[in-house]
Amino acid sequence: MGSGHVHRLYRHARSPVHALPPHTKIAAVLAFVVVVVSTPREAMWAFGAYAVLLGLVAYAARVPAGFLLGRLLIEVPFVAFAVLMPFVAEGERVEVLGLSLSVNGLWGAWNVLAKGTLGVAASVLLAATTELRELLLGLQRLRLPPLLVQIASFMIRYGDVVTDEMRRMSIARRSRGFEARGLKHWGVLAKSAGALFIRSYERGERVHLAMISRGYAGSMPVIDEVTASRAQWSYALALPSAALTVCVLGWVV
């Protein structure tokens, strides 16, 4: 996989969560999300219990609350969608602060907000405790299709390259006095986007030929083999196991 890329979501720390093998954390987060989605929306207390469980994981991982809450802003579009649901949904309506809201819409908004927020929070904790290179190794260990892992690997590797190319093109335009101020300048920006696409495509072709010349046959060699002990699996699966207990109680109660 090559050297790792430290992404902005990652928070370096020495904690039991950071030390877990990446594939155990990926499996735990996936299982946790499945359990959360399976929980009936009427069991509001269960979602509070899930939030407490994630808080305990964040504490064990030494991820500050401010760091976690700041990264949750990524779900703002979903929040906006949820806010609109009580106004546009059909069915029985109820008066709240002088507003006529749909009961089904209110339940739907709560369902989206609760489950979406918990899912995003779990994903943020995974990203905060696992480097990108380790995530790829974990996906590879979990037998994700090799082609998907390779695509993700190249996306991570060359995302910065393409971004830097965009920056240089922007500097070149500004050095020639160009400044986008309206629709009449969209043509220039469109041509820049086309040039960027062509350059990226040609770079991809050169990289592919270089890989073939070095023996590439459709799969990347596994350099670092990651394994996990039973104790590590037990530690990682403690979160979804506790969440499953809460989910079962939610259905029973």
Side-chain angles (χ1 to χ4, degrees):
M1 292 290 181
S3 59
H5 288 65
V6 179
H7 54 86
R8 295 181 180 179
L9 290 178
Y10 180 73
R11 183 177 178 84
H12 180 75
R14 293 182 179 274
S15 74
V17 181
H18 284 77
L20 285 174
H23 56 290
T24 63
K25 290 184 281 187
I26 295 173
V29 168
L30 178 60
F32 175 79
V33 171
V34 170
V35 171
V36 169
V37 172
S38 303
T39 304
R41 63 187 184 183
E42 294 79 8
M44 295 186 177
W45 65 270
F47 298 102
Y50 296 148
V52 171
L53 290 175
L54 288 180
L56 293 175
V57 173
Y59 177 79
R62 300 176 183 175
V63 176
F67 180 90
L68 180 60
L69 293 176
R71 299 310 186 271
L72 288 179
L73 293 177
I74 194 175
E75 68 164 344
V76 168
F78 298 96
V79 174
F81 170 75
V83 169
L84 292 176
M85 291 182 67
F87 295 95
V88 300
E90 299 179 352
E92 181 184 354
R93 307 193 75 82
V94 64
E95 293 288 334
V96 179
L97 299 177
L99 299 174
S100 178
L101 304 178
S102 168
V103 175
N104 290 332
L106 288 172
W107 278 116
W110 159 252
N111 196 46
V112 171
L113 285 176
K115 296 180 179 180
T117 300
L118 290 169
V120 172
S123 301
V124 170
L125 285 175
L126 173 63
T129 57
T130 315
E131 294 184 5
L132 281 176
R133 178 175 175 274
E134 292 181 347
L135 283 173
L136 294 175
L137 290 173
L139 293 174
Q140 193 174 46
R141 181 67 179 178
L142 292 174
R143 299 295 188 269
L144 196 73
L147 183 59
L148 294 180
V149 178
Q150 291 178 49
I151 291 174
S153 175
F154 286 121
M155 180 185 69
I156 293 170
R157 287 173 180 270
Y158 292 101
D160 293 338
V161 176
V162 175
T163 301
D164 190 57
E165 188 73 26
M166 290 176 58
R167 182 184 60 81
R168 290 197 298 269
M169 294 173 67
S170 177
I171 293 174
R173 289 195 302 268
R174 291 199 303 269
S175 66
R176 290 165 175 81
F178 173 80
E179 184 176 354
R181 295 181 178 178
L183 294 177
K184 63 180 181 180
H185 294 132
W186 283 19
V188 176
L189 297 178
K191 291 178 181 178
S192 298
L196 178 64
F197 174 79
I198 293 174
R199 292 182 183 181
S200 300
Y201 182 83
E202 291 177 345
R203 184 188 297 272
E205 288 291 315
R206 293 194 301 270
V207 170
H208 182 248
L209 291 175
M211 292 171 60
I212 292 178
S213 68
R214 289 165 175 79
Y216 175 73
S219 62
M220 299 293 287
V222 178
I223 299 176
D224 297 325
E225 183 70 21
V226 291
T227 58
S229 64
R230 289 186 178 181
Q232 289 173 321
W233 272 112
S234 299
Y235 188 80
L237 295 179
L239 173 64
S241 299
L244 180 59
T245 302
V246 174
C247 180
V248 172
L249 291 175
W251 280 103
V252 173
V253 176

